[in-house]
Amino acid sequence: MIIGVLNQKGGVGKTTLSVNLAAALALSGKRALLIDADPQGSALDWQSTREGDTLFPVVGMAKPTLHKDVPELAASYDHVIIDGPPRVNELAKSAIMACDLVLIPVQPSPYDVWAADDIVKLIQEVMIYKAKLKGRFVVNRKIVNTAIGRDVAEALRDYPFLVAETAINQRVAYAESAASGLSVLEFDSKGPAAREIKALVRELVEE
């Protein structure tokens, strides 16, 4: 399965989500590949800070021929995660064309809900040519024990894509693990961050 993590709004946690989804898949015994399609190269930076063995390969591929190049790469893996670019352009369209599922992280803010419109339209444009393509929202960086995450999920129901049942909460573990080139599953395998990432993976891959 090829899962793209995209949103035209920057700072929504795309790379953190991409890295941890790939890690959860790899630690479950799957052959996982992470493609860094963001010109900023944040996933590659994360990999470079890591000490010791890598859980999965990270390949930089921020070019608009992504949809042509990914199928050959993907043939050697069970799952591919694409950390997409932070704006709607030809590179984003190419990343979407390569995917089976596009995951759209949205923070609990009305600005994020409004900003989702452009990426939704781009996915729908690609769906004209790729009917089996799916889109899915995930509430990311939700503040624990607040209603705002639920309110955002409700607001997103005006769009044609489902909202993931699993929300990813704002937790220090995400930043602390990234600083060491680790995933939250390695940083604290039984912690709440690890549990929610694993739950999201189950929801996306085993549906």
Side-chain angles (χ1 to χ4, degrees), residues 1-2 25 29-33 74-80 100 205:
M1 188 178 199
I2 302 174
L25 289 164
K30 302 294 184 183
R31 293 169 300 165
L33 170 68
S76 302
Y77 297 91
D78 298 310
H79 298 288
V80 176
D100 300 308
V205 175

Side-chain angles (χ1 to χ4, degrees), residues 71 110 165:
E165 293 293 329

Side-chain angles (χ1 to χ4, degrees), residues 47-82:
Q47 182 81 315
S48 69
T49 65
R50 186 181 178 88
E51 296 180 2
D53 295 336
T54 180
L55 282 178
F56 51 85
V58 180
V59 176
M61 197 177 288
K63 52 186 181 178
T65 56
L66 199 62
H67 61 291
K68 298 178 181 178
D69 302 329
V70 167
E72 185 177 350
L73 272 176
S76 302
Y77 297 91
D78 298 310
H79 298 288
V80 176
I81 305 294
I82 300 175

Side-chain angles (χ1 to χ4, degrees), residues 135-163:
R136 182 73 55 86
F137 289 108
V138 59
V139 178
N140 197 32
R141 294 177 173 168
K142 177 187 173 186
I143 306 299
V144 180
N145 297 325
T146 64
I148 191 168
R150 184 190 64 236
D151 294 343
V152 168
E154 286 297 324
L156 289 170
R157 297 192 195 284
D158 291 335
Y159 288 106
F161 304 140
L162 296 174
V163 180

Side-chain angles (χ1 to χ4, degrees), residues 53-144:
D53 295 336
T54 180
L55 282 178
F56 51 85
V58 180
V59 176
M61 197 177 288
K63 52 186 181 178
T65 56
L66 199 62
H67 61 291
K68 298 178 181 178
D69 302 329
V70 167
E72 185 177 350
L73 272 176
S76 302
Y77 297 91
D78 298 310
H79 298 288
V80 176
I81 305 294
I82 300 175
D83 181 15
R87 60 187 60 84
V88 170
N89 53 20
E90 287 303 307
L91 177 54
K93 186 174 181 179
S94 182
I96 291 167
M97 289 172 66
C99 293
D100 300 308
L101 169 68
V102 179
L103 186 65
I104 309 166
V106 178
Q107 295 181 116
S109 156
Y111 299 107
D112 280 51
V113 176
W114 300 331
D117 196 55
D118 287 341
I119 193 71
V120 167
K121 287 178 179 175
L122 190 57
I123 295 168
Q124 289 177 311
E125 184 181 325
V126 173
M127 281 177 163
I128 296 172
Y129 310 100
K130 192 170 183 177
K132 293 184 178 180
L133 177 65
K134 295 180 180 179
R136 182 73 55 86
F137 289 108
V138 59
V139 178
N140 197 32
R141 294 177 173 168
K142 177 187 173 186
I143 306 299
V144 180

